[in-house]
Amino acid sequence: MTEGIDTASTAPTAKAAVVTGASTGIGEATVRALRNEGWTVFAVARRAERLEALAVQTGAIALPADVTDDADVARLLEAVSQAGGIDTLINIAGGARGADKVAESKTEDWDWMYGVNVLGTMKLTRAFLPMLRACGGGTVLNLTSTAGLSAYEGGGGYNAAKFAQHALTGALRLEEAEHNLRVIEVAPGMVQTEEFSLNRLGDQGAADKVYAGVEKPLTAGDVADVVRYAVTAPHHVNLDQIIIRPVAQASNFKVIRKS
C-alpha cells in the first residue's frame, strides 16, 4: 500500500478532476494542461516524489496511490471526498511490457498489463461512479490506444489489455448515459514519451528505434491538449472516441521513416 496521501493543500473548485498516471508522460502533461485551465487536479501515481515535484510546480494535489490496490483506491476515494469531490475522472495509468509473440509470451507481463490497464481503470471508475453521478454532469475519460483497435504481431498482451479497456469504455457509456455521465475514449497512436517504450522494451537503444526516422511523433503535450479539449467542451458534447496519430503514422502498420 502506498503511504502519504495529504489533502490539506487546497479545496476543489467547480471543476475538479482525478488524473491517474500523473507522475510521467501523458498523465503529467494532462495535470499541467488542466491546472493551466484553473481546474483543481488530484494527481495520482505510485511515485510520491515525482508527484510532489509536480504539485510544487503546478499547484496540483499529490495523492500517491496504486490504482490496482483495493486499499489504496479506497483511501484515494476518501481523500478526494474529504477535499470536496470531483466531476471528472481521467484514467491514464497504463502501459505495455514486452513485445513477444503469443508463443513466447510471459505470463507476468500479461498479468501486469491487464492489471493496470483494465482492472485499474475498472477499480477507479467503480469507486468514483457514485460521486460522478451525484454531481449531475460527470465525465469519465479513458486513455486507451490504437493498439486496442487493431492487433499487430508482438502486441498480443498489450492488444488484449487495450481491447478490453476499449470494450469497458463502450459498455460504461451505454450504462451511464441515463445518469448524464459522458464517457470519452482517447486512443493515441505513436507518442514519444520519456518512459513508455523504455518500460516496454527494457532497453534505451531498443526504445529509440521505435521512433527512429519518424518525423514529429506525437508528444505527451499533444495528447494532453486533446484530453483537455474533450473534458472542457460543453457537457452535452460527448466525443465518444478520439483517435490521434502523427501524420507520419497512417496506421498501426504504416509508418513513414526518413533515413
Side-chain angles (χ1 to χ4, degrees):
M1 180 184 298
T2 308
E3 301 297 333
I5 289 181
D6 177 10
T7 61
S9 306
T10 58
T13 60
K15 299 298 294 181
V18 161
V19 178
T20 70
S23 62
T24 190
I26 297 168
E28 177 185 344
T30 297
V31 170
R32 296 182 186 277
L34 292 181
R35 284 296 299 147
N36 286 340
E37 294 280 337
W39 284 45
T40 293
V41 180
F42 299 94
V44 177
R46 290 177 293 108
R47 292 179 288 183
E49 70 286 352
R50 295 189 70 137
L51 288 185
E52 291 299 338
L54 182 62
V56 169
Q57 295 168 13
T58 65
I61 302 169
L63 298 180
D66 181 345
V67 299
T68 69
D69 184 281
D70 291 334
D72 270 18
V73 171
R75 291 172 59 249
L76 176 61
L77 176 62
E78 180 180 3
V80 172
S81 299
Q82 291 177 355
I86 58 168
D87 54 39
T88 301
L89 172 62
I90 302 177
N91 289 304
I92 293 179
R97 283 192 180 172
D100 300 318
K101 293 184 178 180
V102 174
E104 291 83 38
S105 57
K106 298 177 179 64
T107 301
E108 60 270 26
D109 288 345
W110 285 55
D111 281 343
W112 184 86
M113 286 186 281
Y114 195 85
V116 68
N117 291 287
V118 184
L119 296 182
T121 296
M122 179 275 287
K123 290 180 179 185
L124 261 289
T125 303
R126 181 178 63 188
F128 281 95
L129 272 179
M131 181 184 296
L132 295 170
R133 290 169 176 170
C135 79
T139 297
V140 175
L141 185 147
N142 291 338
L143 189 87
T144 62
S145 170
T146 55
L149 307 175
S150 179
Y152 54 87
E153 292 174 281
Y158 190 52
N159 290 145
K162 285 300 186 181
F163 265 86
Q165 190 187 27
H166 163 71
L168 179 161
T169 305
L172 183 69
R173 185 180 300 114
L174 294 171
E175 294 163 358
E176 295 300 324
E178 65 188 82
H179 300 292
N180 198 34
L181 187 73
R182 66 176 173 181
V183 178
I184 301 166
E185 177 182 5
V186 175
M190 181 177 283
V191 186
Q192 187 170 18
T193 62
E194 175 187 3
E195 295 184 339
F196 178 84
S197 289
L198 178 60
N199 288 342
R200 181 175 197 176
L201 302 175
D203 175 80
Q204 189 62 60
D208 291 342
K209 287 181 182 178
V210 173
Y211 312 102
V214 179
E215 186 174 10
K216 296 183 179 179
L218 297 178
T219 67
D222 292 331
V223 181
D225 194 47
V226 171
V227 171
R228 176 203 57 77
Y229 177 81
V231 300
T232 57
H235 188 267
H236 71 284
V237 177
N238 192 40
L239 298 170
D240 285 18
Q241 183 186 78
I242 306 167
I243 299 171
I244 171 174
R245 292 187 176 99
V247 172
Q249 185 188 29
S251 76
N252 283 359
F253 309 101
K254 184 169 182 176
V255 179
I256 307 303
R257 298 181 188 272
K258 296 186 177 181
S259 58

